Amino acid sequence: MADRPPLLIASDVQVFYGMSHVLHGATLDIPEGEVTALVGRNGVGKTTLVNAIAGLVPVQSGLIDLNGTDLTKLPATARRGLGIGLVPQGRRIFRNLTVDEHLSLAPPSATNPFTREWIYETFPRLHERRSSMASNLSGGEQSMLAISRALTIEPKLLIMDEPTEGLAPLLVETVRQVIDQLRAQQLTVLLVEQNLNFAHALADRVAIMDRGVIEHLFTGSEIPDTTTIGNLIISGTEH
Ligand SMILES: Nc1ncnc2c1ncn2[C@@H]1O[C@H](COP(=O)(O)OP(=O)(O)OP(=O)(O)O)[C@@H](O)[C@H]1O
Ligand SMILES: [Mg+2]
C-alpha cells in the first residue's frame, strides 16, 4: 500500500460531452512522488479524465483536489500555474514555433529544477534542433519537445497521455529512461498508456479504467503481471 499522502484526489468525477455521459464517477488518488499508470481500452475515458484534471473539459460534478486546493472551478491556465503539467495525447506542439520558443512559453522560475539546460542535457537532440520549427521535427523529437514543454511549467504533477504512441522501440526506451529520471527527482507522474509492458515497467500503481470509471487499482506488490492486466482490460468488453 502507498504510504504517501495523495498529491491529487479525483473523486466521483462526472463528465458529459453534450448528451453523451463519458465519465461516470471516476475516482483516483495520485500519491506524491509515484508513477501512477492509467490503462484501459480505446474510448473508455482516459483522455477525458486527464483533460478534466488539467481543466480542458468541464466536470459536471465531483472533486479534483490538488494538495487541498479544489481545481474544479479553475481555468486550465490557473491549474498550470499550480503545477498541473500535461503532455497531451498526440503531442499538440505548435508547428510554427521553434524548439527554443516552445521552451520559453512558461514564465521563468528560479525554483524549477527542469531548466532549459537540464532539458537540453537530457535531450541532446532537442539542443541540436533548438532553432528548428516544430513542424520539421520527427515524431520522436516532437514527443521529447512535448514532454519538455510540460516540464518548463515546474509541474508538481506531470500527466503524460500516451507518450509512446507511434514511437519506434528505441524512442520508447528513451521515454522510459526519462520517466525513470523524473521519478528519481521525486516528480509525481500520471501516465496514460496502451503499451502495458511500458506501463508495468514504470508504475508504482496501476489504475484500470473501463467505461468511465476506475474499475481496479493495484498498488506496489499487488500489481499483477501484464497478462493479467491485459485480461482485465479485455474482460471489460465482454459484457
Ligand atoms: N470532444 C468530444 N466530444 C464528444 N465525444 C467525445 C469527445 N472526446 C471524446 N469523446 C468520446 O468520449 C469517449 C471517451 O473518449 P476518450 O478520448 O476520453 O477515451 P480514451 O480512453 O482516451 O481513448 P483512447 O485510448 O483512444 O485515447 C469516447 O467514446 C469518445 O468518442
Ligand atoms: Mg486517449
Side-chain angles (χ1 to χ4, degrees):
M1 295 301 280
D3 25 41
R4 305 192 212 204
L7 174 70
L8 185 119
I9 300 169
S11 177
D12 201 16
V13 175
Q14 309 265 348
V15 170
F16 290 73
Y17 295 113
M19 299 292 282
S20 173
H21 193 178
V22 172
L23 292 192
H24 296 262
T27 294
L28 180 65
D29 287 358
I30 302 178
E32 190 156 17
E34 294 193 0
V35 177
T36 300
L38 176 60
V39 299
R41 286 174 296 127
N42 289 332
V44 294
K46 303 181 299 296
T47 296
T48 302
L49 178 58
V50 299
N51 284 350
I53 293 171
L56 300 176
V57 300
V59 301
Q60 173 92 5
S61 63
L63 174 81
I64 299 173
D65 176 297
L66 177 74
N67 251 341
T69 303
D70 176 17
L71 299 183
T72 46
K73 301 289 183 295
L74 297 178
T77 43
R79 298 189 202 195
R80 227 177 9 251
L82 290 171
I84 303 285
L86 175 66
V87 182
Q89 187 164 18
R91 339 254 191 252
R92 307 262 172 151
I93 45 136
F94 303 112
R95 296 178 57 77
N96 47 10
L97 291 188
T98 66
V99 169
D100 240 354
E101 285 166 343
H102 274 89
L103 302 183
S104 310
L105 290 170
S109 155
T111 50
N112 189 4
F114 307 111
T115 59
R116 201 179 316 192
E117 292 67 41
W118 185 93
I119 288 167
Y120 282 147
E121 229 167 83
T122 308
F123 304 112
R125 186 68 188 147
L126 283 187
H127 185 246
E128 285 167 30
R129 305 283 263 144
R130 62 191 180 282
S131 304
S132 299
M133 289 291 178
S135 56
N136 294 331
L137 302 179
S138 70
E141 289 163 353
Q142 291 187 2
S143 185
M144 300 301 140
L145 180 57
I147 295 170
S148 300
R149 178 183 57 184
L151 291 173
T152 62
I153 71 135
E154 193 173 9
K156 290 193 171 70
L157 169 66
L158 181 68
I159 303 172
M160 307 173 96
D161 193 350
E162 304 209 24
T164 68
E165 199 175 17
L167 293 188
L170 204 63
L171 284 163
V172 172
E173 173 55 21
T174 307
V175 175
R176 194 195 62 72
Q177 286 171 7
V178 169
I179 298 174
D180 246 354
Q181 210 170 331
L182 297 175
R183 186 223 303 273
Q185 300 223 10
Q186 303 285 305
L187 187 65
T188 309
V189 175
L190 175 59
L191 172 69
V192 178
E193 233 343 298
Q194 298 270 0
N195 180 337
L196 285 187
N197 288 324
F198 184 85
H200 197 268
L202 284 164
D204 298 296
R205 30 174 55 206
V206 177
I208 299 181
M209 189 168 216
D210 191 30
R211 285 170 294 188
V213 295
I214 304 297
E215 283 277 3
H216 305 273
L217 176 68
F218 298 106
T219 64
S221 58
E222 300 164 3
I223 300 176
D225 58 27
T226 51
T227 310
T228 307
I229 295 174
N231 286 338
L232 282 168
I233 291 172
I234 293 162
S235 69
T237 64
E238 285 175 353
H239 42 154

